Amino acid sequence: MNVAYENRDRSMATAAPLVRGVVLVVDDQPETLALLSEVLGNEGYTVLVAVDGRSALERARMITPDVVLLDALMPGMDGFEVCLRMSADTSLAGVPVIFMTGLTESEHIVKGFRAGGADYVTKPVKPDEVCVRVEAHLKRAQAQRRADMVVNAGGRAAIIADSDGAVHWHSSRAAAYLERYLDGDQPGVLPGALVRWMRQAEPSSRPYEVAQGPARLSIRLAGPAGADGWILTLVEFDDEASINDFVERFELTPRQAEVLLWVSRGKTNRDIGEILDMKPRTVNKHLEHIFPKLGVETRAAAAATALQVIGP
């Protein structure tokens, strides 16, 4: 039988604390469950509990916890087996497991780490120690998830910002872009125009761009970042450098390289003519020379070839 404890001793008149994460506590002793549920709940965590290994796995698969506090010795499926099964489950493999045990012999500690455990605390548990260890592993897990999200976003420079524009995290490459293009009145807070765009944008939306001389920063919404807000990817473009690159790689004239640059941005001949102060038919003449040099036959293929050089 599953037992669930909820922290209900907060006054209704008191504002609810910010939820810091979900902790699954697994122990066959109701007294331990009650103690940890109260202590962690008062620290702002959402606490899930289970009294045996089987129900712990069921609960973890239903609501993925951020951290698991796991009793090593329980009737039936012990904590070591639970940890092994979690490690083998792709949806739970990254969740840090902290063993709770009265066993201090090195063989049991080693067994816990070999099963996939991240840490351990000894019984009887010390609430302050448990809270410190849970917080430490929660921060590491969150940092890893953020790193994974950046990798999934294509390995580009990236930031995670909330709906108010506060930057919660940024990759090392993004730091230079933030300083160069988005250094506003409040350090660590995105400009208001970008925040308004971010609130309305979708991953398919056109990028938000900021110019700095011949260079520009293109910002795209890569997706949600859970409770933190959104992931934004940042790509810097330097028009002058791109034009020089086209000249060198494809043996284009500087004017042809300029035309190719704007073709890569989806501009029509009329648009390019207005930008470069030439007639649309002159743009078309340039394209007639550009296509053979790139080894392509269509405008779309030329744009794709150019983007392979300068990036999306």
Side-chain angles (χ1 to χ4, degrees):
M1 176 179 179
N2 293 343
V3 179
Y5 292 86
E6 296 182 0
N7 178 43
R8 301 179 182 275
D9 61 350
R10 292 282 187 174
S11 169
M12 293 300 289
T14 303
L18 177 66
V19 175
R20 302 172 65 182
V22 178
V23 181
L24 172 60
V25 183
V26 188
D27 199 299
D28 62 328
Q29 297 297 319
E31 297 81 5
T32 302
L33 292 176
L35 171 63
L36 292 175
S37 181
E38 179 179 5
V39 169
L40 293 169
N42 287 340
E43 290 294 317
Y45 295 100
T46 296
V47 182
L48 308 176
V49 301
V51 296
D52 57 57
R54 192 169 302 280
S55 60
L57 291 171
E58 291 174 354
R59 192 151 297 198
R61 287 165 181 153
M62 186 179 302
I63 302 175
T64 305
D66 294 296
V67 179
V68 176
L69 280 167
L70 179 61
D71 187 16
L73 299 181
M74 295 183 293
M77 187 188 302
D78 63 19
F80 303 117
E81 179 63 24
V82 172
C83 192
L84 284 169
R85 295 195 183 193
M86 286 183 61
S87 298
D89 188 325
T90 54
S91 66
L92 300 174
V95 178
V97 174
I98 303 173
F99 278 102
M100 299 183 293
T101 177
L103 304 175
T104 56
E105 290 84 351
S106 60
E107 61 180 291
H108 296 111
I109 296 172
V110 170
K111 185 176 180 181
F113 283 118
R114 284 180 174 170
D119 204 349
Y120 74 95
V121 294
T122 57
K123 287 187 170 182
V125 295
K126 302 175 183 65
D128 289 345
E129 179 185 359
V130 170
C131 289
V132 168
R133 291 180 184 271
V134 167
E135 182 177 12
H137 286 287
L138 178 64
K139 287 180 178 179
R140 290 192 189 99
Q142 289 173 337
Q144 183 60 53
R145 280 199 296 272
R146 287 169 176 169
D148 291 343
M149 286 187 287
V150 172
V151 170
N152 292 335
R156 301 190 182 99
I159 62 176
I160 295 177
D162 64 24
S163 59
D164 294 323
V167 177
H168 288 224
W169 178 89
H170 60 73
S171 65
S172 56
R173 195 194 310 177
Y177 294 159
L178 289 171
E179 182 177 353
R180 192 180 313 155
Y181 292 93
L182 303 172
D183 188 15
D185 297 332
Q186 300 182 61
V189 179
L190 302 178
L194 175 55
V195 174
R196 289 190 290 274
W197 171 86
M198 185 175 66
R199 290 171 177 170
Q200 300 175 356
E202 297 178 355
S204 59
S205 300
R206 292 181 64 84
Y208 179 93
E209 296 191 343
V210 185
Q212 193 71 263
R216 62 191 172 89
L217 185 69
S218 180
I219 303 172
R220 288 186 178 275
L221 183 70
D228 287 326
W230 290 276
I231 308 171
L232 303 175
T233 57
L234 297 78
V235 181
E236 185 180 39
F237 296 93
D238 187 325
D239 292 352
E240 187 175 338
S242 297
I243 290 169
N244 291 336
D245 208 358
F246 291 156
V247 169
E248 182 177 347
R249 286 176 181 247
F250 304 122
E251 299 183 353
L252 302 178
T253 67
R255 202 58 164 167
Q256 290 170 350
E258 289 179 320
V259 170
L260 179 59
L261 177 67
W262 290 106
V263 167
S264 72
R265 296 179 185 170
K267 299 299 184 181
T268 65
N269 284 6
R270 183 179 296 276
D271 294 333
I272 297 172
E274 292 177 355
I275 294 168
L276 300 179
D277 192 23
M278 64 176 67
K279 294 180 180 180
R281 66 171 177 268
T282 304
V283 175
N284 197 57
K285 285 289 186 182
H286 282 305
L287 290 176
E288 290 177 359
H289 291 91
I290 291 170
F291 288 176
K293 291 182 178 180
L294 268 63
V296 301
E297 297 182 358
T298 67
R299 190 186 197 91
T305 301
L307 289 173
Q308 288 178 349
V309 175
I310 62 176

